[in-house]
Amino acid sequence: MRPIIAITGDQVHEVSPMINMNNADMAPNEIKRAVTLAGGLPIVLPVSEDSPAVTAELATQYVTLFDALIVPGGFDVDPTLYGEEPIPECGPTLRPKDLFEEALIKATVKSGKPIFAICRGIQIVNVALGGTLYQDLATQDLDATIKHAQEARGDLPTHHVSFTPDSELSNIFDAKAYVNSRHHQAVRKVAPSLHVTATAPDGVIEGIESNNNDQIVGVQWHPENMYRDSQPNYDLFVNLVERAENFAARN
Ligand code: MN
């Protein structure tokens, strides 16, 4: 039996004013294909727009349905979730999705089940666990001198990242990788239960993992648009399936 890999869904009617090639790439289709090729059974979780209490209840029960969670790319994270008002450069947000994913991430962390976070995913995971974000790298991080919101086709690599030795990511990628980059927000203050395992040459955080275990692995780029031509980006999905199988075998 394939392990069940849940992916949080997007609300397409909310996305439609923004649809362009990059946003089309952010739809979970490529994630579903990568999960299936890597040996998992993908399912998509609908975003709850219910009260906080019901959302938390739904999140707790959803966790019983899957073996691992993928938190995919998407809109900017509502800055009020980390105690800031939005600056003018903050992009479109979708608060119901933020609140649903926050509840789901907390419930999944509590369960011990593995998480793989992609782009916005590592940002909302970091916020859900107590970290903060740059709302806009260009205006808030003066050291961020690399173009992170690439205008090249979304599946093409545009900047390098380097990895911390002895991390899950370095086991998959070795020391360095050349990745795509479709973000203008990034992790700022890292949540206490996470640590940085990948950075761009300008210091922007490109990968995070949970402390003292392999429960959470997150990347700031989009491996779902690179896995066809890049073995390590494919191996990120294999790694998640293996972590899901290992967790299921232990419990
Ligand atoms: Mn980047």
Side-chain angles (χ1 to χ4, degrees), residues 137 146-149 158-159 161 179-183 200 204-206 220-221:
L137 282 171
I146 287 176
K147 188 178 183 73
H148 287 277
T158 59
H159 75 63
V161 292
V179 299
N180 57 8
S181 189
R182 306 209 302 268
H183 61 110
V204 167
I205 293 171
E206 294 275 343
Q220 181 57 69
W221 65 95

Side-chain angles (χ1 to χ4, degrees), residues 192-223:
S193 56
L194 302 173
H195 62 284
V196 176
T197 58
T199 51
D202 59 359
V204 167
I205 293 171
E206 294 275 343
I208 52 170
E209 296 178 25
S210 46
N211 298 339
N212 309 317
N213 61 48
D214 65 355
Q215 188 185 10
I216 300 173
V217 175
V219 297
Q220 181 57 69
W221 65 95
H222 287 274

Side-chain angles (χ1 to χ4, degrees), residues 11-217:
Q11 292 172 313
V12 172
H13 65 283
E14 297 280 0
V15 173
S16 59
M18 281 261 304
I19 282 186
N20 57 32
M21 196 203 70
N22 278 356
N23 279 318
D25 283 348
M26 288 181 197
N29 278 342
E30 284 287 73
I31 298 182
K32 288 183 286 184
R33 291 191 190 106
V35 164
T36 304
L37 281 173
L41 180 72
I43 64 170
V44 180
L45 301 181
V47 170
S48 160
E49 293 215 37
D50 301 283
S51 70
V54 172
T55 297
E57 182 200 340
L58 295 183
T60 303
Q61 191 169 346
Y62 275 134
V63 171
T64 67
L65 299 180
F66 58 76
D67 298 301
L69 175 67
I70 291 182
V71 190
F75 278 176
D76 284 359
V77 175
D78 180 344
T80 63
L81 295 182
Y82 48 91
E84 296 181 10
E85 297 297 326
I87 64 171
E89 291 78 10
C90 185
T93 56
L94 188 54
R95 187 172 172 81
K97 186 174 179 184
D98 292 342
L99 296 176
F100 175 64
E101 285 192 330
E102 202 172 54
L104 193 64
I105 289 159
K106 285 178 179 167
T108 307
V109 166
K110 205 170 164 188
S111 77
K113 292 180 179 179
I115 294 176
F116 178 37
I118 296 172
C119 193
R120 163 202 156 82
I122 88 166
Q123 298 167 8
I124 188 76
V125 164
N126 185 55
V127 169
L129 301 179
T132 69
L133 304 179
Y134 289 106
Q135 293 188 41
D136 181 62
L137 282 171
T139 45
Q140 294 187 319
D141 182 1
L142 299 181
D143 296 325
T145 52
I146 287 176
K147 188 178 183 73
H148 287 277
Q150 76 183 47
E151 293 174 82
R153 209 174 68 200
D155 60 324
L156 298 176
T158 59
H159 75 63
H160 290 86
V161 292
S162 44
F163 299 99
T164 308
D166 300 321
S167 59
E168 287 288 308
L169 289 177
S170 73
N171 289 342
I172 294 168
F173 284 91
D174 293 328
K176 261 190 138 184
Y178 188 34
V179 299
N180 57 8
S181 189
R182 306 209 302 268
H183 61 110
H184 79 113
Q185 301 200 319
V187 170
R188 189 170 193 168
K189 189 184 112 215
V190 181
S193 56
L194 302 173
H195 62 284
V196 176
T197 58
T199 51
D202 59 359
V204 167
I205 293 171
E206 294 275 343
I208 52 170
E209 296 178 25
S210 46
N211 298 339
N212 309 317
N213 61 48
D214 65 355
Q215 188 185 10
I216 300 173
V217 175

